[in-house]
Amino acid sequence: MDSQIRFTGFGGQGVILMGIVLARAASLYERPVGEDGKEKRMSAIQTQSYGPSARGGHSKCDVKISDQEMLYPFVEIPDWLVIMSQQAYSKYIQERRPDTKVIVDPDLVMDRPTGHIYYISATKAAESLGTRIVANVVMLGAFREISGVVSNESLERALMDALPKPTHDLNKSALAQGAKLGREAMEKKGKA
Amino acid sequence: MDSQIRFTGFGGQGVILMGIVLARAASLYERPVGEDGKEKRMSAIQTQSYGPSARGGHSKCDVKISDQEMLYPFVEIPDWLVIMSQQAYSKYIQERRPDTKVIVDPDLVMDRPTGHIYYISATKAAESLGTRIVANVVMLGAFREISGVVSNESLERALMDALPKPTHDLNKSALAQGAKLGREAMEKKGKA
Amino acid sequence: MKPVINPKLCKGCNICVYICPKKCYTKGTDISEMGYFNAVVSFPEKCYNHNREGKLICELCVLSCPDQAISWHPETEEEKKK
Amino acid sequence: MKPVINPKLCKGCNICVYICPKKCYTKGTDISEMGYFNAVVSFPEKCYNHNREGKLICELCVLSCPDQAISWHPETEEEKKK
Amino acid sequence: MDIFEFYRKDRWPHVFCPGCGNGTVMNCFFRAFNEAGLSLDNTVFVGGIGCSSRVPLYINSDALHTTHGRAIAFATGLKLAKPGLKVVVFTGDGDLGAIGGNHFINGCRRNVDMTVICINNNIYGMTGGQASITTPHDFQSTTTPYGNKEYPFDLAEIAVAAGANYVARWTTRQVHELTKSMKSALQKRGFALVEVVSQCPTNFGRRNKMADPSQMLEWFKSNTVRRDKAKSAELDHVDLNLAGQITVGEFVDRNRECYEELIGVEKHG
Amino acid sequence: MDIFEFYRKDRWPHVFCPGCGNGTVMNCFFRAFNEAGLSLDNTVFVGGIGCSSRVPLYINSDALHTTHGRAIAFATGLKLAKPGLKVVVFTGDGDLGAIGGNHFINGCRRNVDMTVICINNNIYGMTGGQASITTPHDFQSTTTPYGNKEYPFDLAEIAVAAGANYVARWTTRQVHELTKSMKSALQKRGFALVEVVSQCPTNFGRRNKMADPSQMLEWFKSNTVRRDKAKSAELDHVDLNLAGQITVGEFVDRNRECYEELIGVEKHG
Amino acid sequence: MTIPPGEYFVQGNDACVEGALASGVKFFAGYPITPSTEIAEGLAQRLKGQNGVFLQMEDEIACISAVIGASWGGAKAMTATSGPGFSLMQEAIGYAAMSETPVVLVNVMRGGPSTGQPTKASQGDVMQTKWGSHGDYQVIAFAPATVQEMFDLTVECFNYSEKYRVPAFLLSDAEVGHMRGLLRVPEKLNVIDRKEMGIRRTDEAYDVPDDLVKPFPVFGKGHKAIITGMTHTETGRIEPEDSKVHSDLVRRLNEKVLRNRKDINKWEMIGEGSKTMIISYGSSALGAKEVATKDPNVGLLRLKSIWPLPEEPIAQAARGAQRILVCEMNLGQLFFSIKRVAQDAGCKQVELLSKLGGEPPTPSEVRHKLRSMGAV
Amino acid sequence: MTIPPGEYFVQGNDACVEGALASGVKFFAGYPITPSTEIAEGLAQRLKGQNGVFLQMEDEIACISAVIGASWGGAKAMTATSGPGFSLMQEAIGYAAMSETPVVLVNVMRGGPSTGQPTKASQGDVMQTKWGSHGDYQVIAFAPATVQEMFDLTVECFNYSEKYRVPAFLLSDAEVGHMRGLLRVPEKLNVIDRKEMGIRRTDEAYDVPDDLVKPFPVFGKGHKAIITGMTHTETGRIEPEDSKVHSDLVRRLNEKVLRNRKDINKWEMIGEGSKTMIISYGSSALGAKEVATKDPNVGLLRLKSIWPLPEEPIAQAARGAQRILVCEMNLGQLFFSIKRVAQDAGCKQVELLSKLGGEPPTPSEVRHKLRSMGAV
Ligand SMILES: Cc1ncc(C[n+]2csc(CCOP(=O)(O)OP(=O)(O)O)c2C)c(N)n1
Ligand SMILES: Cc1ncc(C[n+]2csc(CCOP(=O)(O)OP(=O)(O)O)c2C)c(N)n1
Ligand code: SF4
Ligand code: SF4
Ligand code: SF4
Ligand code: SF4
Ligand code: SF4
Ligand code: SF4
Ligand SMILES: [Mg+2]
Ligand SMILES: [Mg+2]
């Protein structure tokens, strides 16, 4: 089974880091147990694209995760679409299937689309942790909680790989905070 | 009928000018009367090659003259081979047929080959006219006299085209002197 | 005249805040449509060009703003009085 | 020592004739195998290095000759006497 | 002329990062152009490749956006083919001074009539922050992870040595002086260079503890020395190190015959 | 070492025209190399393309005969890959100063340890006498049939401005001084340039009323001025005109750290 | 100051100079290189003051860049070089293709690779002319075989370059460039000028639709044109991230040349329908021409234009032929393409006479090769 | 300081850096250009002091020149660039071919022509890699499709460049270069070093005869070697006017690569013998791979090396096939060559899926095209 995930936002939000960490987690640390009872290797590929030369503008990061040898590694239509800016919303919202699950930061995106939508106020949550810089990590935590494509342990390990030591605690909190928001959003959806 | 002529010597002797003037004469001024009684157009191509970058060394100039449209314009084996240096002699004497006519300045070439050979002391004659510079013109006059491939008038006209006015008289004398040497060489050969 | 910031152009670099010798600008706190925290013209009345017409002076802000976001507008009658 | 011109190398440029402060060289009149008029060491006895041994002086000719055609040779007994 | 008659409003907001000095240079250039009384219809803008080289694309006139490093060569052909045109080149330290170095010095020598605005941000901005030939000694960039070991060029001094008619350098912290020099350059006959030391907060500032554009402007301010007051370089040791001092001012203002005059090409203009 | 141990005797007579200054430069270089006590086994010679750039082909050691204008770039890679080698570049005014201009100035700036001998005959000799960037103003060449309208570069001054450690210029008329400077250059650590103004009787002299090589040497003699005695250029006007005076002498002799020292590459030499 | 109509005895490179002047060249930038230098030297003499500008630059990259710049100033502009210089120009050639700039580039081919044989002829740069720059683009290239064609095909270079806004190449070689022969300058010459934006035109250049070849906005006339080598829309907006803009642009740039192959291709056919056909071009076709003219059983297709590949004439020559011999002064650069077209047209046996070293194949070498193929 | 064996999650360009280090690269000279810059940045980090030299130069011409110079100093040397920089390097690439210098050049392809699409992938430089410099020469080129192959094929580039003394190219693209995925660094790597003059060798590189690939005279060891881009004899005597010397030299330079095609060519074949075969390479083969893996009626030949053209595997794939689809991210640069070989091998229908604009063909695009061809 393949999972196709797309993270979008504006330059500087760390959207690309989200994808790298997720793919790294799946690729190096995830060993799900298959039907045969054996640990299985997952493979993951991360790709990206951004507006004119990395300045402001939109930013996109695709991750494809598979429990088999990866053949075509690019996301065609995402199963999961995470949106963290209005500009990204306009650019990428069309590219989905009816069953694509969309996760949106409602404070950064004005529109309210229909379909499988989860709202995660990641930026606000990050601010309440003291810095907007970790909004992407909050969102990543929420995404993991909702999607379950990798385990929390793998994700945290991959995240710590990518970040300087002094920021580890902050980011762990952000991840946990995201997980919490994710659970809440799922509950809300469950009820709706 | 094609005539294939090769002039050879060392850089600085004006070997290439000899070919240019001859080809120019044939191409622009020569109008022999054909069998049908009509003036005929001749065509002529001149090509050249020289040693490393035009400094000393050998120098070669080929002329091909035809009374029809020129097809293959390069000299393969010359009908006429004019040699004005020892180095050129060594390099080019092999490329001839038994009936190739060879004209040599005996003061510049030590060897005495067999075959149809004419000796023209062009350099000495030029010195007696006051300057070695016109040795090539003397040789050209002799060549014309012996070969008859173009008329004297055409050749003189083409030569004057190529030279600055003040040198015209000197070069006319050189041409005439060459013609004289050519006649003498033919007579000598005739007797031999 | 008073300086006005165009919210569609400002990218929140705060150069105006730094450069203005009269401290007319302050850092912004609200996020703009483009996703930036626009600077704010908090004290236009302190500007060298306050109530000035014709040829303006200073203009460090307008010349320095990298996003062509600052332009001059006439004061309202009320502002003139400040 | 006396300067000697190698006829296989000299290209007859006459720089030696020009450069020698003692006018040891003269222009040549005979054509060489390579087709050049080699310069001639006409007055070796005028050279600064005439009968000199060990470290030579001047050497403008040897250093200037573009064709490495000039080299130093010991004088014969007869030449030494000049 | 309003600034958005001069610039193509429909392309705004422009592509440059928040706080990028390119926009400041654009403001000053607009003023200088206006004050010099030049007409857009008769002026062509040429750029190489780089953030700075994109300025021409925003100006409401003909623009020739060329290849990396060759803007001066393109501009030379354009100007000589149509000598009646005013030709202005926008370029960067990498475009002009690294890959374009040979066209730069030969442009100065040939002295073809053109105005060159070089936005020197001491870095390759467009490609993400690699060292350029003006990155100061020991500074950080993505290709000098252990600090830049090379010493930088002084572009303005090279232009003087190579023969340009007008050479000035300012930073984006001196907008009025910069505007004035741009005007002088636009009015000069022959090769005129205005070098603007400018901030790239994204790719230079961020890696050198000046992520905030204002910090860079402050750095410029405190390191700027007027050329006439700069400690004169000893004969035996060229201080090529920009980090120590940023010499600013007019470096040269002279009237060598320009190339068009020398070859008499203006007759067919 | 005898001259024909240093040079490859079997390639003689060399290809240069009668009276060409290249041969003179070879004599002086041979002496300087000998006096500096260097060993051929440890020295590599690099040339670009041109008559002057062919000198390495005649030397009894490894030779890298490269592409036109790029000799310094090739030499830079060679030297840094094997820092124990002595690297000597032979080049011409066209090769070094025209097409190679950018590598030239960056070579000076980077200050990699190499000796560069530039034989400046003020012309493109190899291709038959086209103007080069050092052809004096108003002189004749095949591409300037109405006289050269451009003004020449002063290669030595540019090298000083760009940062070379050692720069000297002489003509082929000053063989002893030239030899001495070549020796100094060979012994210098860092980028060392010796520019030799030299005669190309075939393609420069002949078109400028100096067909006889001795006439060119006489021209050099009567126009040579020592740099310290040269009328100093006014600040506002660089006299780029070689025709007026040929400044000779040592232009600079300094000890900026060479690139190898700066990046610490010698450790693996 | 173009040369008056009449007959002249000149060098190939000089004929090129005269062809350029007759076409109205107004700008030339060059850097010396054997065996093309006489073209620069000739234009240094002839372009002066009113006539136009001759510029010797610091290197070949500067030359082609200046030539492109001059073209945007409205001038017919040209440069000339040989192998090493041609290689250096590749980046800017791609720019000319992408920006649709009319420019003419003469390559007097010499022996490669690298410095190779500076004074000797070759046809080693034929594929480079088509493929030397990065990306997908088309060029127009002519291959002269005589002094006269150095003139005629230079004129065609200018004409087609102007008409299609595409870089056009005269692929000559050291033999043709340095050979001297007769040049006939005609009374009337067909000279095409670019279709200028904002100017109505009813002549030949006008028959290409505007959406394939856009009218040319000469600078300084208020068009506010944006010219760029980046992916761009029709209004000059750069859209380097837009796949469709890129695809549409690149496909149009290629189509405008490929669709007009028939208009561009020029050739000479001798003995059409022969069982044995030779296909060749430039100076390597001269030996073949003598063979084909003298031998009634051998025909010749001599390509005067080589890019875009003249597929129709090749197919036509191949259709009735039992065997085809391709003669080239390289290792067979057009050979594989010719073979493909000839085989599609039904000719099974296609062979190559490849000659390296500087001299064009002689008639006897051609005959010898034909014999080994079972012809003659 | 090579990376220890094990598993890593890295970017394609980083995998290339590791491959180079594992091969023993000692010298890198580069000039920044998207999308190749990470290779320079990675080596700036890793090459220092004892490990080797990283040098950022004034332009791409300087880079490739310095790399060739370094190779003569005995170092394994490399540069990396993209389209515009690649075009600028063409003259020196011809020099490397002519002087038989082992060098590795990475081209992370982006959309051309000209500045085009700097951040988008393409395969537009495939023909340029073979034909970009003047004259007749051969190169070796590999086309990675995955992060792992960025490592593996970089090692192959060094190996074959050293073995045959020929410039070798890693033809990557923006997708493969910027994609992140798993890299497995093996315990043991097959690393080939050049056969040095004067040193006896018995290993793999030794099986090429000395008269085809001469032993390499490292500078500074008393060989008194003369290295030149001019036509030269075996002893380095330049003979630019000698036709035979030139012809012999150029033919040998070409033969040493062409004759060893089998040794050099690398490929992956899926579903050999299928009636429908796809032939592709690099990132444009990925969509095809998904189709071929999932559909038993469709096979795939994925070329890992593209120059010299892998004629044998192409013929093998074509032999049983009724139809062949070639997928490329260009206008069909290898298409015509593949078609020629496939037709010779008996396959009549050879079609092209050409995709421009930056994204590799998707599996559905491939399926759609196959359907239109009458397959699936
Ligand atoms: C031939 C070539 N090499 C490299 C590049 C990649 N490139 C694009 S912009 C740039 C650097 C620009 O630096 P600079 O001129 O200083 O402009 P900035 O972005 O800093 O304003 C480079 C190296 C290119 N486009 N073409
Ligand atoms: C790229 C390239 N352009 C042009 C040439 C032709 N070329 C060979 S030598 C030369 C000029 C050499 O001039 P210079 O360096 O002054 O050497 P000289 O012959 O005068 O000693 C030129 C232009 C070339 N070989 N390669
Ligand atoms: S300088 Fe301009 S862009 Fe920056 S904060 Fe002020 S108004 Fe906004
Ligand atoms: S004009 Fe000067 S004082 Fe007024 S707001 Fe701008 S910077 Fe401040
Ligand atoms: S300087 Fe040398 S080459 Fe010249 S004439 Fe004298 S000996 Fe002969
Ligand atoms: S050493 Fe001096 S004096 Fe003696 S011959 Fe030579 S130049 Fe004349
Ligand atoms: S990268 Fe630097 S130079 Fe480029 S737009 Fe951003 S701040 Fe300006
Ligand atoms: S052409 Fe000039 S530089 Fe070249 S060898 Fe002859 S004289 Fe010397
Ligand atoms: Mg910059
Ligand atoms: Mg020279």
Side-chain angles (χ1 to χ4, degrees), chain E residues 46-49 53 64 66-77 89 91 94-96 98-104, chain F residues 70 102, chain G residues 57-66 69 88 91-92, chain H residues 31 58-61 84-85 88:
Chain E
V46 182
I49 297 290
S53 297
L64 191 60
T66 66
T67 54
H68 187 39
R70 321 297 172 186
I72 287 177
F74 279 84
T76 298
V89 174
T91 176
D95 195 66
L96 181 82
I99 191 169
N102 207 17
H103 313 304
F104 171 42
Chain F
R70 320 296 172 187
N102 208 17
Chain G
M57 297 193 79
E58 51 274 19
D59 64 15
E60 287 89 348
I61 302 176
C63 294
I64 176 79
S65 300
L88 287 173
E91 189 203 6
Chain H
Y31 189 82
E58 53 273 19
D59 64 16
E60 287 89 347
I61 301 176
L88 287 174

Side-chain angles (χ1 to χ4, degrees), chain D residues 1-3 5 13-27 39-50 57-65 70 72, chain F residues 172-173 175-176 214 217-218 221:
Chain D
M1 301 288 263
K2 68 172 183 199
I5 295 178
C13 70
N14 290 327
I15 284 181
C16 50
V17 178
Y18 159 80
I19 208 96
C20 174
K22 304 299 286 182
K23 304 263 166 274
C24 300
Y25 298 86
T26 54
K27 291 191 183 180
V40 181
V41 191
S42 300
F43 311 104
E45 67 283 4
K46 290 206 251 162
C47 172
Y48 286 126
N49 294 315
H50 183 53
I57 59 169
C58 183
E59 293 208 88
L60 282 174
C61 53
V62 172
L63 279 171
S64 298
C65 169
I70 309 179
W72 294 108
Chain F
T172 43
R173 187 63 183 78
V175 282
H176 288 298
S214 304
L217 291 178
E218 189 55 28
K221 190 177 166 195

